[in-house]
Amino acid sequence: MVNLIWALLAIIGIVYAAFNGTMKEVNQAIFQTLDEAVMITISLAGVLVFWLGLMKIAEEAGLLRGLAVLFKPVVRRIFPDIPDNHPALGYILSNMTANMFGLGNAATPMGLKAMKELKDLSGSDHASRSMITLLALNTSSLTLIPTTVIAVRMKYGSSDPTSIIGATILATIISTCAALCIDRYFYYRRKRRLGL
């Protein structure tokens, strides 16, 4: 559906430009942003590879297992339906850790693996409570170090690219708390409505 919306927006914009006689400006904008997009992608690739490498080293060194032990009581309360030592917990913790360090692209494969494990655990094609909670947490994504945003700010010559860290931490704490509250509200509302 989102792809259809983007395609329609592009088509409407091109048709509008054709009728207004501004196709030259549209073509210039397209090629200028394509060039810029390629340069941003290349510059961000280095940052992403660096942090993915650090995550792999942390995983091999047992740091992620240590974080899993540290955060396990919190995650157990957030995801009470997942049995102890289930692989989904490890993937969820890895996903949350990657998101905390602003590595959304690195978090995606772990989030997908966690969703697959949660689907296997529920045995249903419908989203389980844990799947909905993971989606809410992943979308709100508590971030301590927004590495991608810092890299973009560095690329565009910001005088202080790390100045957003405090605001990012505050904003993502609020968004994560809101996501958990809304998730729990709808869960208990549905539970009460069904008389469970």
Side-chain angles (χ1 to χ4, degrees):
M1 183 64 173
V2 174
N3 290 338
L4 180 64
I5 292 170
W6 281 112
L8 284 174
L9 287 173
I11 291 168
I12 290 168
I14 291 171
V15 169
Y16 182 79
F19 282 117
N20 276 346
T22 57
M23 280 302 289
K24 181 180 177 186
E25 289 84 358
V26 170
N27 284 333
Q28 286 175 346
I30 287 172
F31 288 110
Q32 182 181 3
T33 55
L34 285 175
D35 182 46
E36 209 169 294
V38 169
M39 292 309 295
I40 289 172
T41 302
I42 290 170
S43 65
L44 291 179
V47 173
L48 189 60
V49 167
F50 171 74
W51 284 103
L52 284 172
L54 279 181
M55 289 295 289
K56 190 65 177 169
I57 291 169
E59 183 181 1
E60 294 292 325
L63 183 62
L64 292 182
R65 280 187 295 278
L67 284 173
V69 170
L70 182 69
F71 288 121
K72 192 172 184 177
V74 175
V75 173
R76 292 290 308 132
R77 294 210 22 99
I78 296 172
F79 298 96
D81 300 343
I82 302 174
D84 283 335
N85 300 322
H86 193 276
L89 284 176
Y91 290 127
I92 289 169
L93 285 162
S94 296
N95 174 272
M96 290 172 70
T97 304
N99 276 328
M100 283 183 199
F101 292 110
L103 302 171
N105 292 338
T108 300
M110 293 173 250
L112 292 173
K113 287 180 181 179
M115 280 293 188
K116 182 186 177 309
E117 291 292 332
L118 292 174
K119 182 181 179 201
D120 293 344
L121 183 64
S122 73
S124 171
D125 285 340
H126 294 43
S128 68
R129 172 188 180 187
S130 296
M131 292 169 83
I132 294 168
T133 302
L134 176 60
L135 182 62
L137 282 177
N138 202 23
T139 303
S140 65
S141 153
L142 174 64
T143 304
L144 302 177
I145 304 170
T147 54
T148 305
V149 177
I150 291 171
V152 169
R153 288 174 54 95
M154 286 172 60
K155 168 148 180 31
Y156 285 105
S158 172
S159 61
D160 188 7
T162 59
S163 66
I164 59 160
I165 291 177
T168 301
I169 292 171
L170 180 64
T172 57
I173 285 172
I174 292 169
S175 69
T176 301
C177 290
L180 279 174
C181 289
I182 292 168
D183 173 62
R184 291 304 187 248
Y185 168 76
F186 281 108
Y187 171 73
Y188 288 117
R189 185 177 127 187
R190 181 176 182 274
K191 190 174 175 181
R192 192 171 39 245
R193 190 174 41 130
L194 296 175
L196 298 174

